[in-house]
Amino acid sequence: DVKVTQSSRYLVKRTGEKVFLECVQDMDHENMFWYRQDPGLGLRLIYFSYDVKMKEKGDIPEGYSVSREKKERFSLILESASTNQTSMYLCASSSLGGLAGVNEQYFGPGTRLTVT
Amino acid sequence: DAKTTQPNSMESNEEEPVHLPCNHSTISGTDYIHWYRQLPSQGPEYVIHGLTSNVNNRMASLAIAEDRKSSTLILHRATLRDAAVYYCILRELLTSGTYKYIFGTGTRLKVLA
């Protein structure tokens, strides 16, 4: 059974703290993604990676950075957490190619981060 | 970036068909249309995808307009377990050769017993 796991389901941090959100997948997928989900805004892409040590900015990268040192692990870093980063964070992975148009994304359960 | 537009919410009676619409008028020729759904307290899961032709799988059917500016996800017989937020997504091909998924805000489907 395919699996994407995230380090925490719930996290509470203080403003200004450095926050690490970890994501691990066991499917040997090349692509990994970080999204945030907010009411009325749907899912918005923060960063993604298509290979180890490679990263690309998504639609809302400001205030975030990422790290991918190993193929199975993709970390999202909030350098200095702010209250407007309170959100649900979802990690996903997908294979690089294969059948045209497939690239099904597998999502983790999410981390609900509260910054106070 | 192309965008998708979906109704915020829809209701259906159990055992009846449901048609979930999506507009994507700025879609480009290489963008695939994907649908995902998100059950309560879970991450989204894949439902179906297509490019130009209508598609069927065990979960649903996808009807794509001839001009590709809209599509409809069809659940043939809604069950209570189908209550979820349904996302219409465009998979955009990037110059790097990889893909980016553009999520809309989704349609919350309520199924009435």
Side-chain angles (χ1 to χ4, degrees):
Chain A
D1 202 17
V2 296
K3 213 154 205 169
V4 178
T5 57
Q6 296 183 229
S7 49
S8 307
R9 289 301 301 268
Y10 300 94
L11 207 54
V12 180
K13 295 292 182 180
R14 293 194 180 276
T15 302
E17 276 194 81
K18 190 168 185 175
V19 181
F20 292 86
L21 302 181
E22 304 283 338
C23 176
V24 179
Q25 50 96 2
D26 65 0
M27 296 163 281
D28 202 34
H29 282 167
E30 292 83 3
N31 296 332
M32 295 188 75
F33 306 80
W34 274 107
Y35 295 88
R36 64 176 283 177
Q37 184 173 33
D38 301 287
L41 296 176
L43 274 76
R44 293 180 291 167
L45 181 64
I46 304 171
Y47 267 98
F48 65 103
S49 166
Y50 53 88
D51 201 353
V52 174
K53 296 192 186 298
M54 304 298 287
K55 62 184 179 185
E56 284 205 29
K57 293 181 180 179
D59 298 316
I60 50 165
E62 297 78 18
Y64 303 94
S65 62
V66 290
S67 171
R68 190 153 180 216
E69 296 295 318
K70 293 185 178 182
K71 190 175 185 181
E72 68 271 18
R73 189 179 296 269
F74 192 36
S75 301
L76 180 69
I77 303 154
L78 287 65
E79 295 289 343
S80 177
S82 64
T83 54
N84 63 12
Q85 292 178 310
T86 291
S87 186
M88 171 68 83
Y89 289 88
L90 289 158
C91 174
S93 72
S94 72
S95 60
L96 183 62
L99 291 174
V102 180
N103 288 118
E104 177 182 346
Q105 285 194 304
Y106 294 87
F107 281 83
T111 295
R112 185 166 294 282
L113 172 68
T114 303
V115 182
T116 62
Chain B
D1 283 354
K3 296 281 187 283
T4 65
T5 306
Q6 301 175 252
N8 288 333
S9 63
M10 291 183 67
E11 278 188 6
S12 172
N13 293 319
E14 201 176 9
E15 305 288 316
E16 289 187 358
V18 182
H19 290 234
L20 298 166
C22 180
N23 287 320
H24 28 78
S25 57
T26 57
I27 192 170
S28 73
T30 55
D31 290 347
Y32 277 78
I33 301 157
H34 285 231
W35 282 80
Y36 279 66
R37 72 178 186 181
Q38 187 172 21
L39 301 169
S41 303
Q42 294 186 25
E45 62 179 2
Y46 170 83
V47 176
I48 201 167
H49 79 279
L51 183 63
T52 56
S53 304
N54 294 345
V55 184
N56 299 298
N57 67 19
R58 64 174 180 81
M59 287 181 74
S61 295
L62 176 60
I64 299 172
E66 200 169 327
D67 63 6
R68 299 207 331 122
K69 291 182 186 294
S70 66
S71 61
T72 302
L73 179 71
I74 303 163
L75 307 179
H76 295 287
R77 288 178 67 216
T79 70
L80 296 177
R81 288 174 295 179
D82 291 324
V85 178
Y86 286 79
Y87 291 99
C88 169
I89 300 150
L90 298 182
R91 195 198 71 164
E92 186 178 278
L93 176 63
L94 302 176
T95 53
S96 59
T98 187
Y99 304 97
K100 177 177 154 181
Y101 290 80
I102 301 164
F103 279 73
T105 53
T107 296
R108 183 173 297 279
L109 176 65
K110 187 175 179 180
V111 180
L112 306 174

